[in-house]
Every structure is written in C-alpha cells, then in structure tokens.
Amino acid sequence: MNTILNLLHSEVIPAIGCTEPIAVALCVARAKEQLGIEPDTIEVSLSKNIFKNAMAVGIPNTGMTGLPIAIALGATIGRAELQLEVLRDTTPQAVEYAKAYMKRVPIRISIAADAPDVLYIHAIVRFGDRSAESTTIGSHTGEASATTSSYTIRSLKEVYDFAMTVPLEQVTFLREGAEMNIQAAQYGFEHKCGHCLGQILSHQGNSVLEKILAYTSAACDARMSGAMVPVMSNSGSGNQGISCSVPVLIYAQHNHVSVEQLLRALTLSNLTVIYIKQSLGRLSALCGCVVAATGSAAGITYLKGGDYTEITYAIKNMIANISGMICDGAKPGCALKVTSGVATAVISAALAMEHSFPDATEGIVDDDIDRTIHNLTHIGHDGMTQTDDLILSIMTHKCLEVPPGTPI
C-alpha cells in the first residue's frame, strides 16, 4: 500500500502551465543555475513529442505561445526548485525582460533525431567560454524516481482493491487537487480563455452532464491559454489531471455523496489513469485526455453504485468508443477533446450500470479488462509511431509561416 501511495504522490502533483514547455523551461533553469549567470547562448534539443506539445500552447502570464518565451523565462526568472511551477515568478516586468532577452540572445531549438525517449530535453547554456547542460528524460521533471520507475501496477483489480481499502486520510490530497482544478475552471468562466468553451457550455443548462462538461472544459481553457493558475496534474499532464478529477468531483457534489465515496472515487480515477499511462507512455500519438476520461468513467461508475464488474464495463465502453483520438499537440483546442472524453465517460458509466458493453467479438475489446487496456496502449505506444511522425510533419510545415511567440 505504501508503494502505491508513493506512486500516487509522485504522479499527482501541482503544475502551472502546459507541462511540455514548462518542462523545457525547467531544464533550461537547471542548466542556468549550474552556469551561475544568465546565458548568452542557449541550445535546446527535444524529442518530437515534446516539440509537438510545446508549439502552440499558451505560456503562463505572457499572452504568448511557444518555446522561445518559455526558454527565455526559464533562463531569466526560472526557479528549478519549484519543479513544474518553475515559472511561478512570471510577472509583467519579467515578461518584458524576457522579450528583450530573446532579441539579444540566440536561442536555438532542434528536434533530436536520436532521442532516447519520447520525453527528452537536452539544454546547453553558455556564457563566453563557460557552459553548463541539463538533461530531462522519462518524466517532465527529469526525476523518474525509484518509486515511479521500479513499481508497475499489475492489474485493474489491484487499482480497485487499493482504492477500496486505502485509509482515507492518506488520499485527502486528491480532493484538494480536484478542488484546485475547480478553481482553474472558475478562472476560465471569468476570463476570455482559448475558445471559451467552458463559458459557452455553462450557459447551456444545469444538469450534471452539462456542469461536468462546462467545468472540465473551462479548466482546460484556462490552462491551455496560459493562465497563471495551478492545476493538479496526473502522469505529467495537467489536462489529464483535470479530466480525471473534475468530472468525479462535480458528479459527487451533484449527488451529495459521502466524503468517503468521493475520496475512493478520486483514488480509483487517478490510479486508473496511472495504470494505463504506465504502458502507454507519458507522450504518444493517442490523446491523453481520453485516457484520463477513462479514469473518470471508472470513478463515476463507482459513485453510481457500481462495483469492480461494472467498472470494467465502463472502461470497455470507453476503449470501444473514442480510443482512436489523436494528439496533435497542446493548444486551446484541447478543451474540445477534453469535453468529448468526459462526455463519453458519463455515457460509458450509465451504460455500464445497465450491463451494456462491447464483448470480445468487437474490435480491440477483449473479455479480460487488462488485455483490453493493453490492446489500447500497444496501439498507442507501438502501432502509431508513423502516425505521430505524420502529425508532426503536418504541424511543422503548416507552422513555418507562423513566427514564434505569436500573441494569443
């Protein structure tokens, strides 16, 4: 139990901003701190997945998108000890300084053709004849801890058993994280963020489904547009943290469930995501929001009174439905995918409670739930490499005419 608790604590952590450009800023900040002075040259080499997810997403408190401003801030005001909140000190004055810094300091960004991992960042910073470097690999903080790397969840039943038996005082932080994500949604309701999907959906009605869609998309709106608000992430992604916690919390509040039920549902949801991501990988051609919404489907099914059997049905419904959604980078439009994922989660849970689900004659679904999950992750991890390359090719060629740091 302690091992899985440590795993939860290492994978469910606060983050400010999209974790890919923030991870790059963190890597640069670490190199700069080794150098001991602001660099006069910066070189960053990235895996294609990091590059893809950092191209078009808002950087917190800057009103700008993309890697150059994130790198400049990492080199000027980044604080490595803050981990994924490395740019917490971003102020208007810091942004203006970073803009000027970008104009006078060469910042070279390249894709590492031989990157050893889908999550790979290598930063070299120089001042005169002095240099320092930092490498991030395997996780967004570059700290693939012994807990995270050495323990692999063995089955969905292990996830379920843990969620049903863990002492509640050990998982209260998951509720705090869900409430943090609700605060991000409130910001999205109150400000013009991204495509304003959350604002638009909030005017459509007050059913539990409509509230789930509005709150989840509003939190994503805020995060993808670069709002200076923290969210509780899951497996290195804020959108995943939002998608697996907000729907569960909203459903629980709407139905006035007990604190124990809420905490167990949040544990089940978060740990289901971690279980799936362990074999899928942190970054892939499959949209992580769909994986995270699968966690919500499990959590909501439990809140509806479902047991392990119904939870497996809900997950099969998810995998049979929207498992093919591609990841084409982090951007404001992620709110659309998040909304599709959590809407399907609510539908999947409702179907599961009626024992309606696809069987082994249908597609990639297997009678065994763990084989079903691994069929999905095998496709995403191994089968879609060419798809990922094609997505990146389309994105980079399309964006050649868009100058870096485009205001949003």
Side-chain angles (χ1 to χ4, degrees), residues 5 11 26 37 39 62 70 112 133 137 181 193 213 221 247 306 339 343 350 371 374 380:
L5 271 173
E11 295 287 18
L26 174 59
I37 192 171
T62 67
E133 58 187 280
I137 185 168
N181 294 344
C193 299
L213 298 183
D221 284 334
T339 304
R371 281 200 295 268
H374 288 294

Side-chain angles (χ1 to χ4, degrees), residues 158-194:
E158 183 179 18
V159 168
Y160 178 80
D161 289 345
F162 175 88
M164 297 304 108
T165 58
V166 63
L168 297 180
E169 66 273 12
Q170 300 291 335
V171 290
T172 55
F173 76 99
L174 297 177
R175 180 180 183 177
E176 294 165 3
E179 291 170 347
M180 179 188 297
N181 294 344
I182 291 290
Q183 290 302 310
Q186 293 291 352
Y187 185 97
F189 290 140
E190 296 165 6
H191 299 81
K192 180 176 173 57
C193 299

